[in-house]
Amino acid sequence: MIGAILLKRAAKDGFAAVNRHDLDAILERYHEDAVFELPGETVLSGSHVGLAAIRRFYEQWFESMPEIKFTVEHTAVEDI
C-alpha cells in the first residue's frame, strides 16, 4: 500500500515538474545512463541516451511546446 502511495505521488510530482519546465527536477528522476525513447517520425523522435541527451530533448520539447500542461486526474497501480 505504501508503495502505491509513493508511486502516485512521484508521478504527480513528475508531471508538475514538466508543467514548470523544471529541468533539474525532471532530470533527477533519471539515472545518468538512462535511455529515453520517443517513438514516431518527428524531429524529437528516437533514442536519447544519457542525461545530456535527455536534457536536450526536454529543452527542445519545451521550446517547441511552451504552453504544454498535464493534469493528473487518476493514477492506477496494479500488482506492486
Side-chain angles (χ1 to χ4, degrees):
M1 183 67 167
I2 190 73
I5 293 168
L6 294 174
L7 185 59
K8 286 181 176 188
R9 183 176 297 155
K12 189 173 183 179
D13 291 348
F15 281 110
V18 170
N19 289 344
R20 293 189 310 272
H21 293 197
D22 186 343
L23 284 173
D24 291 332
I26 294 166
L27 293 175
E28 73 184 16
R29 299 168 186 287
Y30 288 90
H31 186 273
E32 64 187 41
D33 296 327
V35 177
F36 180 84
E37 298 274 347
L38 184 68
E41 303 282 330
T42 73
V43 75
L44 294 175
S45 296
S47 295
H48 306 277
V49 181
L51 286 179
I54 295 169
R55 175 180 285 276
R56 283 191 302 276
F57 164 82
Y58 279 105
E59 288 170 343
Q60 292 173 339
W61 187 43
F62 292 150
E63 184 178 313
S64 68
M65 302 197 59
E67 300 295 321
I68 195 158
K69 183 173 182 199
F70 292 94
T71 302
V72 178
E73 293 183 5
H74 304 284
T75 306
V77 179
E78 183 177 320
D79 294 328
I80 57 170

